[in-house]
Amino acid sequence: MPRFDAITDADHAAFWEDGYVFKRGYLLAEEVELARETIRTDPSIAAHVLALSDAEGGSTDLALWNHPSEDVFGAIARCERVAGGAERLLGGEVYHYHSKLTMKRPGGGGRWEWHQDYGYWYQNGCLYPDMLSVAIALDPATRENGCMQVIKGSHKLGRIEHGRVAGQTGADMERVEQAMKALELVYCEMAPGDALFFHSNTLHCSAANLSPTRRNLLICCYNKATNNPYKAHHHPFYTPLTKLPDEAVLAAGVKATERAWMLEGQDQTSEGHRAA
């Protein structure tokens, strides 16, 4: 198992200066394929997919969960390079706030409107923006298929007012337009396995996917332990997070494969009994 490039002092400085930092090749190709296979075969994902509409009549599929399970996605969210990286950037213990899959269908996956994550996490009772997200590309993310866009340094603007935009929560566009005049717009093109750590006040969006290729993105969100929400809401209060070694991601995939083989064997045995 290779040693991964942990969050460095330079990464820490870039994150707080720009509001984000890229970590290229943060998941191995084998780990990315395990995640893709989980999307294809895990019925719980398909059962919990929501279609969120955008302001132009399109929609993007979203699957969201609060607590990491024992599967590949849970191992990714708990592994040292991801969860430990979040702790290094935020400067202290974090817990898993939630994870989600944003899945843009080829030739029609909708856009995500401009927003800050803290624009609505604020409403959940989190006093401070001591929160971040880690976006991990499971497919190539390009301008053509609707990669994320961020406004560099926009986390320094503080929280901007948000409201409903179609089926989403969006930032005040007057402020966003002024921010784009003053700050740099960055297209976050990523290869499968690349990760983007970004601050909860960093303005970001993504365009519709009009290309013939899908664009699936895993986003793991973390809250600092000292920022425990003061009221109950649909995401969890502080829940201690047991970090896992980086090797746990591949190990979770092996366990999933073994379970699938076992279930397949049981099905075949059942078919044999019925045939007899």
Side-chain angles (χ1 to χ4, degrees):
M1 184 75 177
R3 294 183 62 85
F4 291 93
D5 179 19
I7 296 292
T8 64
D9 289 345
D11 294 330
H12 187 277
F15 177 84
W16 287 103
E17 177 62 25
D18 300 334
Y20 66 90
V21 66
F22 284 103
K23 298 295 286 183
R24 303 294 184 180
Y26 223 43
L27 288 193
L28 301 172
E30 299 92 325
E31 294 170 327
V32 171
E33 185 50 42
L34 287 170
R36 289 173 174 168
E37 182 65 18
T38 300
I39 295 173
R40 289 192 292 266
T41 60
D42 189 340
S44 65
I45 292 177
H48 292 91
V49 169
L50 301 173
L52 296 185
S53 59
D54 61 28
E56 298 178 357
S59 68
T60 295
D61 291 339
L62 173 74
L64 184 148
W65 57 94
N66 280 335
H67 296 287
S69 64
E70 298 302 316
D71 65 3
V72 170
F73 290 124
I76 292 171
R78 294 168 61 197
C79 75
E80 182 61 42
R81 78 194 102 144
V82 178
E87 290 188 332
R88 172 76 174 90
L89 292 172
L90 289 178
E93 181 188 358
V94 302
Y95 72 96
H96 182 263
Y97 196 52
H98 61 275
S99 287
K100 52 201 170 192
L101 282 166
T102 63
M103 298 172 282
K104 293 193 178 189
R105 301 176 303 279
R111 59 177 285 117
W112 284 99
E113 308 295 342
W114 280 106
H115 67 282
Q116 301 164 311
D117 289 341
Y118 190 60
Y120 47 94
W121 292 349
Y122 171 89
Q123 304 295 342
N124 297 344
C126 299
L127 279 177
Y128 301 97
D130 294 340
M131 312 171 82
L132 62 73
S133 298
V134 189
I136 302 171
L138 302 181
D139 299 304
T142 66
R143 295 194 189 197
E144 291 73 26
N145 69 10
C147 69
M148 279 183 58
Q149 303 169 39
V150 299
I151 299 180
K152 189 174 183 178
S154 56
H155 65 303
K156 298 177 182 178
L157 300 173
R159 185 182 71 89
I160 294 172
E161 289 296 329
H162 283 61
R164 295 303 292 174
V165 180
Q168 302 178 26
T169 299
D172 175 4
M173 283 306 299
E174 179 181 334
R175 290 275 177 164
V176 173
E177 289 164 3
Q178 292 302 314
M180 285 195 285
K181 291 178 182 179
L183 301 169
E184 179 184 354
L185 173 65
V186 177
Y187 287 87
C188 301
E189 295 190 294
M190 296 192 286
D194 288 351
L196 175 72
F197 289 75
F198 62 99
H199 191 275
S200 63
N201 268 336
T202 298
L203 281 163
H204 58 290
C205 77
S206 63
N209 180 8
L210 302 179
S211 79
T213 62
R214 73 188 179 204
R215 196 228 66 176
N216 289 342
L217 191 70
L218 171 66
I219 305 179
C220 304
C221 307
Y222 300 91
N223 188 16
K224 201 169 180 182
T226 53
N227 195 35
N228 197 29
Y230 65 81
K231 63 180 180 181
H233 55 91
H234 57 282
H235 293 314
F237 286 114
Y238 167 69
T239 308
L241 179 67
T242 301
K243 295 196 297 295
L244 300 175
D246 289 325
E247 294 82 358
V249 178
L250 287 177
V254 169
K255 290 178 183 177
T257 301
E258 290 174 347
R259 284 196 298 270
W261 287 343
M262 185 179 301
L263 291 172
E264 182 179 349
Q266 291 172 353
D267 290 342
Q268 290 174 352
T269 300
S270 298
E271 287 292 338
H273 286 314
R274 285 195 290 271

